[in-house]
Amino acid sequence: MTELLEHAPSLAAASAGGPRTSLVDLLDRLLGVGVVVAGDVTISLAGVDLVTVRLRALISSVGTLEERS
Amino acid sequence: MASYLYAIVRDEDAARAAIEARGVDGAPVRTVGAAGLACLVSTVDAGQFARTRDGGDADLRWLEAVARAHDDVVRAVASRTATVPLRLGVVCSDDDAVVDRLHETADVVSGLLERVAGHEEWGVKMFAASPRRQPVLSSAATSGTAYLQQRRQALQQDAQASDAGVAEAERVLTELSSLATAARRHAPQDPRLSGTRAPMVANVAFLVRTADRDNFCQRVRRLDDEQPGLEIVTTGPWPAYSFTAEDSP
Protein backbone atom coordinates (compact mmCIF):
# COMPACT_ATOMS: atom_id res chain seq x y z
CA MET A 1 0.00 0.00 0.00
CA THR A 2 2.83 2.34 0.88
CA GLU A 3 4.48 1.63 -2.41
CA LEU A 4 1.27 2.41 -4.28
CA LEU A 5 0.45 5.57 -2.41
CA GLU A 6 3.89 6.95 -3.10
CA HIS A 7 2.65 7.71 -6.60
CA ALA A 8 0.13 10.21 -5.30
CA PRO A 9 2.64 12.85 -4.17
CA SER A 10 4.55 12.62 -7.44
CA LEU A 11 1.32 13.22 -9.36
CA ALA A 12 0.22 16.03 -7.08
CA ALA A 13 3.67 17.53 -6.69
CA ALA A 14 3.67 21.25 -7.01
CA SER A 15 7.40 21.46 -6.54
CA ALA A 16 8.23 23.34 -3.39
CA GLY A 17 9.21 26.95 -3.74
CA GLY A 18 8.94 26.91 -7.52
CA PRO A 19 6.27 28.26 -9.86
CA ARG A 20 5.63 24.74 -11.12
CA THR A 21 2.04 23.67 -11.10
CA SER A 22 0.56 20.38 -10.05
CA LEU A 23 0.58 17.84 -12.85
CA VAL A 24 -3.01 16.87 -12.06
CA ASP A 25 -4.20 20.48 -12.45
CA LEU A 26 -2.20 20.75 -15.65
CA LEU A 27 -3.62 17.54 -17.14
CA ASP A 28 -7.17 18.65 -16.30
CA ARG A 29 -6.49 21.49 -18.71
CA LEU A 30 -4.32 19.81 -21.32
CA LEU A 31 -6.41 16.65 -21.69
CA GLY A 32 -9.80 17.49 -20.22
CA VAL A 33 -10.84 19.99 -22.87
CA GLY A 34 -12.12 19.61 -26.41
CA VAL A 35 -10.02 19.68 -29.57
CA VAL A 36 -9.97 22.79 -31.72
CA VAL A 37 -7.19 21.64 -34.06
CA ALA A 38 -6.80 17.92 -34.75
CA GLY A 39 -3.43 16.31 -35.48
CA ASP A 40 -2.43 13.66 -38.01
CA VAL A 41 -1.01 11.51 -35.26
CA THR A 42 -3.37 10.72 -32.43
CA ILE A 43 -1.71 10.65 -29.05
CA SER A 44 -2.16 7.09 -27.88
CA LEU A 45 -3.20 7.94 -24.37
CA ALA A 46 -6.66 8.48 -25.87
CA GLY A 47 -7.37 11.61 -23.87
CA VAL A 48 -7.36 11.17 -20.13
CA ASP A 49 -7.33 7.39 -20.36
CA LEU A 50 -3.74 7.00 -19.24
CA VAL A 51 -4.40 8.91 -16.07
CA THR A 52 -7.78 7.27 -15.55
CA VAL A 53 -6.34 3.79 -15.98
CA ARG A 54 -3.58 4.56 -13.52
CA LEU A 55 -6.03 5.98 -11.04
CA ARG A 56 -8.32 2.96 -11.33
CA ALA A 57 -5.39 0.63 -10.75
CA LEU A 58 -4.46 2.61 -7.66
CA ILE A 59 -7.97 2.55 -6.23
CA SER A 60 -8.61 -1.12 -6.92
CA SER A 61 -5.28 -2.11 -5.35
CA VAL A 62 -6.02 -0.12 -2.22
CA GLY A 63 -9.52 -1.62 -2.12
CA THR A 64 -8.12 -5.12 -2.33
CA LEU A 65 -5.71 -4.47 0.52
CA GLU A 66 -8.53 -3.20 2.70
CA GLU A 67 -10.60 -6.31 2.10
CA ARG A 68 -7.65 -8.49 2.98
CA SER A 69 -6.85 -6.81 6.27
CA MET B 1 10.08 14.17 -38.55
CA ALA B 2 6.73 15.72 -37.66
CA SER B 3 5.52 19.03 -36.23
CA TYR B 4 4.18 19.32 -32.67
CA LEU B 5 1.62 22.13 -32.23
CA TYR B 6 1.51 24.23 -29.06
CA ALA B 7 -0.64 27.29 -29.60
CA ILE B 8 -2.00 29.74 -32.16
CA VAL B 9 -1.64 33.54 -32.18
CA ARG B 10 -2.63 36.23 -34.67
CA ASP B 11 -0.14 36.52 -37.51
CA GLU B 12 0.58 40.17 -36.65
CA ASP B 13 1.55 39.04 -33.13
CA ALA B 14 3.89 36.31 -34.36
CA ALA B 15 7.01 38.43 -33.92
CA ARG B 16 5.98 39.32 -30.39
CA ALA B 17 5.33 35.64 -29.67
CA ALA B 18 8.90 34.65 -30.56
CA ILE B 19 10.14 32.88 -27.47
CA GLU B 20 13.30 31.28 -26.28
CA ALA B 21 11.58 28.48 -24.37
CA ARG B 22 12.41 25.05 -25.75
CA GLY B 23 9.68 22.61 -26.64
CA VAL B 24 9.21 18.84 -26.44
CA ASP B 25 12.58 17.01 -26.30
CA GLY B 26 14.33 20.39 -25.98
CA ALA B 27 13.65 21.32 -29.62
CA PRO B 28 13.55 25.00 -30.65
CA VAL B 29 10.11 26.52 -31.23
CA ARG B 30 9.21 28.26 -34.51
CA THR B 31 6.08 29.68 -36.10
CA VAL B 32 4.14 28.49 -39.14
CA GLY B 33 1.87 31.18 -40.61
CA ALA B 34 -1.33 30.92 -42.67
CA ALA B 35 -4.82 32.44 -42.86
CA GLY B 36 -3.83 35.45 -40.74
CA LEU B 37 -2.71 33.15 -37.93
CA ALA B 38 0.61 31.81 -36.71
CA CYS B 39 1.04 28.42 -35.06
CA LEU B 40 3.92 27.72 -32.66
CA VAL B 41 5.44 24.36 -33.49
CA SER B 42 8.57 22.32 -32.93
CA THR B 43 9.96 19.28 -34.69
CA VAL B 44 9.34 15.94 -32.98
CA ASP B 45 9.74 12.27 -33.69
CA ALA B 46 6.11 11.30 -34.35
CA GLY B 47 6.80 7.71 -33.32
CA GLN B 48 6.72 8.55 -29.61
CA PHE B 49 3.17 9.86 -30.00
CA ALA B 50 1.97 7.00 -32.17
CA ARG B 51 3.20 4.32 -29.75
CA THR B 52 0.53 2.74 -27.58
CA ARG B 53 1.10 3.40 -23.92
CA ASP B 54 -0.20 1.24 -21.13
CA GLY B 55 -0.04 3.77 -18.32
CA GLY B 56 3.02 2.43 -16.50
CA ASP B 57 5.61 4.49 -14.61
CA ALA B 58 7.68 5.19 -17.72
CA ASP B 59 4.61 6.40 -19.59
CA LEU B 60 3.65 8.68 -16.75
CA ARG B 61 7.14 10.22 -16.73
CA TRP B 62 6.96 10.69 -20.51
CA LEU B 63 3.53 12.27 -20.21
CA GLU B 64 4.76 14.66 -17.53
CA ALA B 65 7.79 15.70 -19.61
CA VAL B 66 5.61 16.44 -22.65
CA ALA B 67 2.99 18.25 -20.56
CA ARG B 68 5.66 20.42 -18.85
CA ALA B 69 7.30 21.32 -22.15
CA HIS B 70 3.91 22.14 -23.66
CA ASP B 71 3.00 24.29 -20.67
CA ASP B 72 6.36 26.12 -20.68
CA VAL B 73 5.92 27.12 -24.33
CA VAL B 74 2.26 28.10 -24.00
CA ARG B 75 2.92 30.16 -20.85
CA ALA B 76 5.80 32.00 -22.48
CA VAL B 77 3.65 32.93 -25.48
CA ALA B 78 0.49 33.72 -23.50
CA SER B 79 2.45 36.14 -21.32
CA ARG B 80 3.17 38.21 -24.45
CA THR B 81 0.06 38.12 -26.61
CA ALA B 82 -3.46 36.73 -27.07
CA THR B 83 -3.01 32.97 -27.37
CA VAL B 84 -5.20 29.96 -28.13
CA PRO B 85 -3.44 27.01 -26.46
CA LEU B 86 -3.92 23.64 -28.13
CA ARG B 87 -4.62 20.32 -26.47
CA LEU B 88 -1.69 18.11 -25.44
CA GLY B 89 -0.22 15.94 -28.16
CA VAL B 90 -1.45 17.49 -31.42
CA VAL B 91 1.11 16.35 -34.01
CA CYS B 92 0.97 17.03 -37.77
CA SER B 93 3.02 15.09 -40.32
CA ASP B 94 4.78 18.27 -41.53
CA ASP B 95 4.46 22.07 -41.70
CA ASP B 96 2.28 21.86 -44.85
CA ALA B 97 -0.26 19.95 -42.79
CA VAL B 98 -0.07 22.71 -40.14
CA VAL B 99 -0.88 25.29 -42.86
CA ASP B 100 -3.89 23.16 -43.91
CA ARG B 101 -5.13 23.02 -40.31
CA LEU B 102 -4.83 26.80 -39.93
CA HIS B 103 -6.93 27.33 -43.06
CA GLU B 104 -9.53 24.80 -41.90
CA THR B 105 -9.95 26.27 -38.43
CA ALA B 106 -9.24 29.97 -39.07
CA ASP B 107 -12.79 31.20 -38.34
CA VAL B 108 -13.12 29.29 -35.07
CA VAL B 109 -9.62 30.14 -33.87
CA SER B 110 -10.02 33.84 -34.71
CA GLY B 111 -13.20 33.92 -32.62
CA LEU B 112 -11.42 32.19 -29.74
CA LEU B 113 -8.50 34.64 -29.93
CA GLU B 114 -10.96 37.50 -29.63
CA ARG B 115 -12.54 35.90 -26.58
CA VAL B 116 -9.32 35.18 -24.66
CA ALA B 117 -7.56 38.47 -25.47
CA GLY B 118 -6.93 40.41 -22.26
CA HIS B 119 -7.94 37.42 -20.16
CA GLU B 120 -6.28 34.76 -18.03
CA GLU B 121 -7.57 31.57 -16.44
CA TRP B 122 -7.95 30.91 -12.72
CA GLY B 123 -8.63 27.49 -11.25
CA VAL B 124 -10.87 27.28 -8.19
CA LYS B 125 -10.96 23.99 -6.31
CA MET B 126 -13.33 23.55 -3.39
CA PHE B 127 -12.99 20.94 -0.71
CA ALA B 128 -15.58 19.97 1.88
CA ALA B 129 -13.89 20.92 5.14
CA SER B 130 -13.74 17.58 6.96
CA PRO B 131 -15.18 17.29 10.44
CA ARG B 132 -12.61 16.38 13.05
CA ARG B 133 -12.22 12.64 13.00
CA GLN B 134 -9.88 9.83 13.79
CA PRO B 135 -7.11 9.26 11.31
CA VAL B 136 -8.06 6.67 8.73
CA LEU B 137 -5.30 4.35 9.84
CA SER B 138 -5.51 4.69 13.61
CA SER B 139 -3.08 2.69 15.65
CA ALA B 140 -6.14 1.68 17.71
CA ALA B 141 -7.23 -0.50 14.82
CA THR B 142 -5.79 -3.69 16.23
CA SER B 143 -7.94 -6.01 14.15
CA GLY B 144 -9.12 -6.07 10.59
CA THR B 145 -12.71 -5.64 11.79
CA ALA B 146 -11.88 -2.54 13.84
CA TYR B 147 -9.99 -1.11 10.91
CA LEU B 148 -12.90 -1.66 8.56
CA GLN B 149 -15.33 -0.07 11.04
CA GLN B 150 -13.13 3.03 11.29
CA ARG B 151 -12.78 3.18 7.55
CA ARG B 152 -16.57 2.96 7.05
CA GLN B 153 -17.14 5.69 9.64
CA ALA B 154 -14.60 7.95 7.94
CA LEU B 155 -16.25 7.43 4.56
CA GLN B 156 -19.68 8.29 6.02
CA GLN B 157 -18.30 11.50 7.53
CA ASP B 158 -16.74 12.38 4.19
CA ALA B 159 -20.06 11.83 2.42
CA GLN B 160 -21.95 14.08 4.87
CA ALA B 161 -19.38 16.85 4.65
CA SER B 162 -19.45 16.49 0.90
CA ASP B 163 -23.25 16.93 0.66
CA ALA B 164 -23.15 20.13 2.73
CA GLY B 165 -20.15 21.34 0.76
CA VAL B 166 -21.82 20.92 -2.62
CA ALA B 167 -24.61 23.38 -1.74
CA GLU B 168 -22.13 25.95 -0.44
CA ALA B 169 -19.92 25.43 -3.47
CA GLU B 170 -22.78 26.26 -5.84
CA ARG B 171 -23.32 29.60 -4.06
CA VAL B 172 -19.64 30.41 -4.32
CA LEU B 173 -19.57 29.49 -8.02
CA THR B 174 -22.53 31.75 -8.77
CA GLU B 175 -20.84 34.67 -7.05
CA LEU B 176 -17.48 34.11 -8.74
CA SER B 177 -19.14 33.68 -12.14
CA SER B 178 -20.41 37.26 -11.87
CA LEU B 179 -16.77 38.41 -11.82
CA ALA B 180 -15.67 36.26 -14.74
CA THR B 181 -16.26 36.22 -18.49
CA ALA B 182 -16.80 32.46 -18.57
CA ALA B 183 -16.61 29.39 -16.36
CA ARG B 184 -15.96 25.76 -17.15
CA ARG B 185 -16.24 22.76 -14.85
CA HIS B 186 -13.57 20.08 -14.71
CA ALA B 187 -14.17 16.73 -13.05
CA PRO B 188 -13.38 16.83 -9.31
CA GLN B 189 -10.01 15.23 -8.65
CA ASP B 190 -9.74 12.03 -6.65
CA PRO B 191 -8.24 12.74 -3.20
CA ARG B 192 -5.40 10.33 -3.99
CA LEU B 193 -4.44 12.41 -7.01
CA SER B 194 -5.04 15.83 -5.54
CA GLY B 195 -2.94 14.88 -2.51
CA THR B 196 -5.60 15.86 0.01
CA ARG B 197 -7.82 13.94 2.41
CA ALA B 198 -10.91 16.10 2.02
CA PRO B 199 -13.32 15.34 -0.84
CA MET B 200 -13.22 17.83 -3.70
CA VAL B 201 -16.73 19.14 -4.36
CA ALA B 202 -15.94 21.45 -7.28
CA ASN B 203 -13.10 21.97 -9.74
CA VAL B 204 -13.85 24.97 -11.91
CA ALA B 205 -11.88 27.17 -14.30
CA PHE B 206 -12.79 30.85 -14.68
CA LEU B 207 -11.85 33.11 -17.56
CA VAL B 208 -11.03 36.40 -15.84
CA ARG B 209 -10.02 39.73 -17.33
CA THR B 210 -6.38 40.30 -16.44
CA ALA B 211 -7.39 43.74 -15.16
CA ASP B 212 -9.86 42.07 -12.74
CA ARG B 213 -7.35 39.61 -11.31
CA ASP B 214 -6.95 41.26 -7.90
CA ASN B 215 -10.67 41.73 -7.49
CA PHE B 216 -11.35 38.08 -8.33
CA CYS B 217 -8.67 36.73 -5.99
CA GLN B 218 -9.78 38.97 -3.14
CA ARG B 219 -13.35 37.76 -3.56
CA VAL B 220 -12.18 34.14 -3.44
CA ARG B 221 -10.31 34.79 -0.19
CA ARG B 222 -13.35 36.49 1.33
CA LEU B 223 -15.63 33.61 0.30
CA ASP B 224 -13.17 31.15 1.77
CA ASP B 225 -13.36 33.01 5.11
CA GLU B 226 -17.16 33.26 4.99
CA GLN B 227 -17.81 29.59 4.20
CA PRO B 228 -16.70 27.48 7.14
CA GLY B 229 -17.77 24.25 5.43
CA LEU B 230 -15.53 24.85 2.44
CA GLU B 231 -11.86 25.11 1.80
CA ILE B 232 -11.21 27.05 -1.39
CA VAL B 233 -7.92 26.76 -3.23
CA THR B 234 -7.01 28.78 -6.31
CA THR B 235 -4.46 27.95 -8.98
CA GLY B 236 -3.28 30.42 -11.58
CA PRO B 237 -2.93 32.50 -13.50
CA TRP B 238 -3.04 29.94 -16.30
CA PRO B 239 -3.08 30.47 -20.06
CA ALA B 240 -6.72 30.15 -21.18
CA TYR B 241 -6.43 26.37 -21.52
CA SER B 242 -10.01 25.61 -20.50
CA PHE B 243 -11.63 28.15 -22.82
CA THR B 244 -10.27 27.32 -26.21
CA ALA B 245 -12.53 24.49 -27.32
CA GLU B 246 -15.63 25.09 -29.37
CA ASP B 247 -17.79 23.32 -26.83
CA SER B 248 -16.86 25.56 -23.90
CA PRO B 249 -19.58 27.97 -22.71
Side-chain angles (χ1 to χ4, degrees), chain B residues 181-219:
Chain B
T181 302
R184 186 195 167 94
R185 283 172 197 266
H186 291 292
Q189 295 162 357
D190 185 278
R192 290 183 190 89
L193 286 183
S194 63
T196 61
R197 285 271 175 213
M200 188 183 288
V201 292
N203 182 16
V204 183
F206 290 93
L207 187 66
V208 178
R209 294 195 65 81
T210 305
D212 293 338
R213 176 199 291 181
D214 291 347
N215 194 13
F216 183 85
C217 292
Q218 276 166 17
R219 187 72 68 93

Side-chain angles (χ1 to χ4, degrees), chain A residues 21 25 29 31 38 40 50, chain B residues 55 68 87 91 93 101 121:
Chain A
T21 48
D25 290 337
R29 288 163 171 78
L31 294 175
D40 299 326
L50 178 73
Chain B
R68 295 290 184 201
R87 200 173 195 271
V91 176
S93 49
R101 290 298 187 286
E121 175 174 332

Side-chain angles (χ1 to χ4, degrees), chain A residues 3 10-11 17 20 22 26 40 47-48 55 58 67:
Chain A
E3 191 266 324
S10 78
L11 274 172
R20 283 231 139 162
S22 125
L26 183 58
D40 299 326
V48 290
L55 179 54
L58 194 64
E67 278 161 29

Side-chain angles (χ1 to χ4, degrees), chain A residues 7-8 11-12 21 24-25 28-31 33 35-36 38-42 44-45 50 54-55 59 66, chain B residues 49-51 55 57 63 68 87-88 91-93 97 101 105 121 123 125 147 151 189 192-193 203 235 241:
Chain A
H7 295 303
L11 274 172
T21 48
V24 178
D25 290 337
D28 275 350
R29 288 163 171 78
L30 294 186
L31 294 175
V33 298
V35 182
V36 66
D40 299 326
V41 179
T42 308
S44 302
L45 337 154
L50 178 73
R54 188 50 182 274
L55 179 54
I59 290 169
E66 280 178 10
Chain B
F49 291 93
R51 195 162 70 77
D57 278 350
L63 178 67
R68 295 290 184 201
R87 200 173 195 271
L88 188 78
V91 176
C92 287
S93 49
R101 290 298 187 286
T105 56
E121 175 174 332
K125 297 186 286 188
Y147 169 79
R151 182 79 186 124
Q189 295 162 357
R192 290 183 190 89
L193 286 183
N203 182 16
T235 60
Y241 282 125

Side-chain angles (χ1 to χ4, degrees), chain A residues 51-62:
Chain A
V51 179
T52 313
V53 164
R54 188 50 182 274
L55 179 54
R56 288 218 185 100
L58 194 64
I59 290 169
S60 61
S61 308
V62 172

